[in-house]
Amino acid sequence: MLSRGIISTPHPTSSLRLQPPTATVPRNVTVSLSRPLHSDYPLSISDSVLESRGFALRRSVEGLDLDELNGVFVAVGFPRRDPDKIRLALEHTESMVWVEQRRTRRAVAFARATGDGVFNAIIWDVVVDPSFQGIGLGKAVVERIIQDLVGKGISNIALYSEPRVLGFYRPLGFVADPDGIRGMVYSRKQKKKTGPL
């Protein structure tokens, strides 16, 4: 069984600063998780290795400073968010993983997923503090979110990202949808009418 997902833009969930997209990168790409769904989804970095490097994995809001998290969002290019709205969003989150730097007790990586708890989930807000990018923390949080979701039997996993970071998600098992399905996103922008209907 494959887990379907969507990578679309513009939605600010990327935590990586890579090269700008080339003209050949599509604006909307539907992807599928190519690994079979099972609860022992492979992790590229173990909890014990993360701990030996001075990081602690967290799966609840306990100890998460929302102002500091907001600072990470802003540092990677997200707009500043109302902390009350962040709190409300986290109350409706199916799965959450964040990485705390033990020395400072600050959140340095974060990802969450929402969904119906049975069939569908969407991964949101994948961010890594720019000072900690490139050492596997983004991969660590995304892998654990996927592990949580597939462990619950959720078979449709979507994520939204800018095209320039498709290369980050491919090694995690996401590939262009073999059926050619394209994702769509509702937009409130009104197009000018070009003539009578």
Side-chain angles (χ1 to χ4, degrees), residues 42-46 136 139-140 143-144 172:
L43 300 175
S44 61
I45 184 169
S46 70
K139 185 182 285 189
E143 286 176 340
R144 283 159 179 82
L172 297 171

Side-chain angles (χ1 to χ4, degrees), residues 22-34:
T22 63
T24 60
V25 176
R27 299 302 289 173
N28 292 302
V29 179
T30 303
V31 297
S32 296
L33 189 62
S34 63

Side-chain angles (χ1 to χ4, degrees), residues 5-9 27-31 159-163 165-166 169 174:
I6 300 169
I7 294 180
S8 179
T9 194
R27 299 302 289 173
N28 292 302
V29 179
T30 303
V31 297
L159 62 88
Y160 294 89
S161 178
E162 296 174 12
V165 294
L166 290 173
Y169 292 104
F174 290 96

Side-chain angles (χ1 to χ4, degrees), residues 17 38 47-48 73 78-79 82-83 95 99 114 116 150 158 191 195-196:
R17 298 186 188 275
H38 49 80
D47 293 6
S48 59
F73 287 155
F78 286 25
D82 178 334
S95 180
V99 176
T114 59
D116 60 20
V150 299
K191 292 188 177 187

Side-chain angles (χ1 to χ4, degrees), residues 1-77:
M1 175 184 282
L2 294 178
S3 177
R4 297 186 187 278
I6 300 169
I7 294 180
S8 179
T9 194
H11 194 281
T13 58
S14 128
S15 65
L16 302 176
R17 298 186 188 275
L18 301 176
Q19 298 299 321
T22 63
T24 60
V25 176
R27 299 302 289 173
N28 292 302
V29 179
T30 303
V31 297
S32 296
L33 189 62
S34 63
R35 295 179 177 144
L37 291 176
H38 49 80
S39 60
D40 59 340
Y41 182 89
L43 300 175
S44 61
I45 184 169
S46 70
D47 293 6
S48 59
V49 168
L50 283 169
E51 287 184 26
S52 73
R53 294 180 182 172
F55 299 105
L57 284 163
R58 306 286 186 230
R59 294 179 183 269
S60 74
V61 296
E62 186 178 334
L64 180 59
D65 184 313
L66 299 184
D67 290 325
E68 289 176 1
L69 178 60
N70 219 352
V72 177
F73 287 155
V74 170
V76 300

Side-chain angles (χ1 to χ4, degrees), residues 87-120:
R87 189 174 293 106
L88 183 60
L90 294 179
E91 288 174 10
H92 296 280
T93 292
E94 178 80 21
S95 180
M96 172 182 28
V97 177
W98 59 284
V99 176
E100 175 185 70
Q101 184 190 33
R102 295 175 114 183
R103 185 177 51 80
T104 62
R105 312 227 9 132
R106 297 186 71 181
V108 296
F110 178 87
R112 69 186 186 98
T114 59
D116 60 20
V118 180
F119 305 109
N120 305 292

Side-chain angles (χ1 to χ4, degrees), residues 103-192:
R103 185 177 51 80
T104 62
R105 312 227 9 132
R106 297 186 71 181
V108 296
F110 178 87
R112 69 186 186 98
T114 59
D116 60 20
V118 180
F119 305 109
N120 305 292
I122 300 174
I123 298 173
W124 303 101
D125 301 331
V126 179
V127 293
V128 177
D129 183 301
S131 301
F132 295 91
Q133 290 180 4
I135 60 172
L137 299 182
K139 185 182 285 189
V141 294
V142 172
E143 286 176 340
R144 283 159 179 82
I145 290 287
I146 293 171
Q147 186 180 55
D148 287 352
L149 298 172
V150 299
K152 294 174 183 178
I154 295 173
S155 60
N156 185 24
I157 302 172
L159 62 88
Y160 294 89
S161 178
E162 296 174 12
R164 65 186 176 150
V165 294
L166 290 173
F168 170 75
Y169 292 104
R170 284 187 183 114
L172 297 171
F174 290 96
V175 296
D177 191 295
D179 298 327
I181 296 171
R182 296 284 177 146
M184 297 180 73
V185 177
Y186 173 76
S187 174
R188 288 190 262 174
K189 293 180 183 179
Q190 298 295 318
K191 292 188 177 187
K192 291 183 179 180

